[in-house]
Amino acid sequence: MFKQRVGLPFLELILVGWMPSALKKWYYRRRGYRIDPSARLGWGSVVIGDDVEIGPEASLGILVIVKARTLKIGPRVRIGNMSVLDTFELRVGEGTRIGNQVVVGGLATPSSSLTLGRNCILMEWSFINTTLPVVVGNDVGIGGHCLFFSHGLWPNGFEGFPVNFGSITIEDEAWLAWRVTVLPGVTIGARAILSSDACVTKSIPPLSLAAGVPAKVLRENGSYIAPVDVEQNRARLDKLLQEFIDWVAFMGGTAHRTDEILIRCRWGKNNVKMGAICVALDEIEITRAASFATAGDVVIALPAIGRSERQRIETAGAAWLDIASKERSRTANELSDEVEEFLRRSGLRLLKYEHRLFEA
């Protein structure tokens, strides 16, 4: 009686999947999809929906299938190879990354939806069941092999067996390590941490550390979070930049400090590409670094960069990375992109676009 949902869109894969990214975007725009020119749609990837918007620098990998009546993919979102996302409503905020072979879907209801906030990560081989809404806040880390179930049933409920349905909420900056299972009706509070292999059957308060099967709270009130130490952060940044210098050398380039705030880099074939990292550990050094920066350079500042300094850096053709504000310039270059990616290994994730764009 009702139209059945087909698991894989074979016709779409055959007709559209083979197209190169540019042709595929042209075709989808003809269908009314709003796709930014800088977005990239990998070979074999298909997008199916009624209200579709894909933002700047978003990227879909090889053989990605995305199906949603309402689909909002924000700027700089990356979806890994062979992932299948199939739910009625899907919203993904800026900078969020979805790993390879992630599956989203399951038993459908009119409420089926997934919301992922800004700067999240959903790692490889995870499964999210979206029978009821699954809402994930900003800066949430979800490890590989994680399993989310918004419904749980199999034995006959009319014979007294449990049948559970419930939406799932993961609040801002929570961290779920690998192989965490989340059951229906659970809320995981902001900045909570779930240890590997935990099975979350009941809600976890904010600022809690939990582990086990079923998961139990081991520490509360953020007692596992060290206070911010400016000197330690300066040492942390210095160590990361030294590791970046070593990384450039390992990849065949050269990088060396010329003074306290400048690191000059060369890379590419025959090291013909060049640029400098201008480091600022305090407000005075921000002004100095802004005066040094030229086209192809990047300014990294530990304190917040003021509006005038940001404009000055961009006018010079350089990029800036603001650690305190967790923002970066829209102006970008090869060096700034590489440094930003390297800084992610410290847990630092930066926003490039205005917060109001593509809100999840």
Side-chain angles (χ1 to χ4, degrees):
M1 184 169 68
F2 299 112
K3 183 178 179 180
Q4 299 296 310
R5 301 177 74 207
V6 179
L8 289 176
F10 288 110
L11 184 60
E12 190 85 4
L13 286 166
I14 294 170
L15 296 179
V16 182
W18 61 270
M19 294 181 181
S21 180
L23 181 58
K24 195 176 298 183
K25 287 187 289 185
W26 173 86
Y27 170 77
Y28 281 141
R29 290 192 193 104
R30 299 277 292 182
R31 288 173 54 169
Y33 296 3
R34 300 179 300 282
I35 303 178
D36 190 88
S38 62
R40 297 182 298 276
L41 308 181
W43 183 88
S45 65
V46 296
V47 179
I48 302 171
D50 298 327
D51 180 11
V52 175
E53 186 169 3
I54 301 177
E57 302 179 65
S59 173
L60 276 61
I62 297 171
L63 293 172
V64 170
I65 298 171
V66 184
K67 296 172 62 180
R69 291 185 180 180
T70 300
L71 173 62
K72 307 289 184 180
I73 296 179
R76 309 177 77 206
V77 169
R78 298 184 190 177
I79 301 177
N81 300 329
M82 294 185 287
S83 289
V84 179
L85 315 179
D86 183 1
T87 189
F88 287 145
E89 184 171 330
L90 176 63
R91 297 175 182 271
V92 187
E94 177 185 345
T96 287
R97 300 185 180 188
I98 298 173
N100 298 328
Q101 300 181 57
V102 168
V103 176
V104 173
L107 177 66
T109 70
S111 299
S112 295
S113 65
L114 172 63
T115 298
L116 291 168
R118 300 184 302 268
N119 274 336
C120 296
I121 190 166
L122 174 58
M123 296 187 70
E124 287 75 9
W125 311 304
S126 290
F127 170 74
I128 296 184
N129 163 256
T130 55
T131 298
L132 292 181
V134 176
V135 179
V136 179
N138 300 318
D139 286 291
V140 172
I142 301 172
H145 282 173
C146 284
L147 305 173
F148 287 28
F149 297 99
S150 59
H151 82 277
L153 62 95
W154 184 253
N156 192 340
F158 290 97
E159 296 177 353
F161 290 98
V163 175
N164 297 320
F165 286 79
S167 59
I168 294 172
T169 300
I170 314 295
E171 296 180 349
D172 293 353
E173 299 184 61
W175 175 24
L176 285 65
W178 279 58
R179 296 181 298 275
V180 173
T181 300
V182 181
L183 297 187
V186 162
T187 294
I188 296 176
R191 291 194 161 190
I193 295 177
L194 274 298
S195 180
S196 296
D197 296 302
C199 181
V200 188
T201 60
K202 296 181 180 180
S203 294
I204 303 297
L207 294 169
S208 298
L209 174 64
V213 181
K216 295 182 179 179
V217 174
L218 304 180
R219 299 180 71 175
E220 299 177 292
N221 301 318
S223 57
Y224 47 87
I225 304 174
V228 175
D229 186 304
V230 174
E231 291 304 320
Q232 284 186 0
N233 281 344
R234 289 179 175 181
R236 180 176 289 110
L237 178 58
D238 185 72
K239 182 175 182 294
L240 278 167
L241 291 174
Q242 184 56 53
E243 291 173 353
F244 182 78
I245 291 172
D246 296 339
W247 174 250
V248 172
F250 177 76
M251 297 301 292
T254 63
H256 62 280
R257 296 179 185 268
T258 58
D259 62 24
E260 293 180 353
I261 73 165
L262 276 180
I263 301 172
R264 299 200 177 275
C265 304
R266 287 180 173 270
W267 67 95
K269 187 176 181 180
N270 299 321
N271 287 339
V272 295
K273 298 180 181 180
M274 65 182 70
I277 304 171
C278 307
V279 186
L281 301 180
D282 56 39
E283 287 79 3
I284 296 175
E285 289 183 351
I286 290 176
T287 302
R288 187 180 172 206
S291 67
F292 284 171
T294 59
D297 294 348
V298 56
V299 175
I300 304 176
L302 202 55
I305 305 175
R307 182 181 298 273
S308 60
E309 284 84 4
R310 290 182 176 188
Q311 292 176 345
R312 186 177 179 185
I313 294 166
E314 292 181 17
T315 300
W320 51 265
L321 308 178
D322 186 327
I323 293 175
S325 300
K326 294 192 285 190
E327 296 176 348
R328 60 156 298 167
S329 60
R330 292 230 192 153
T331 303
N333 54 56
E334 192 171 344
L335 182 59
S336 67
D337 287 344
E338 194 70 33
V339 173
E340 181 195 11
E341 185 67 24
F342 199 85
L343 291 176
R344 289 180 66 93
R345 65 184 60 193
S346 70
L348 178 66
R349 293 168 295 277
L350 305 175
L351 291 171
K352 183 176 181 181
Y353 292 84
E354 292 177 307
H355 290 200
R356 67 175 181 269
L357 293 178
F358 297 87
E359 282 287 344

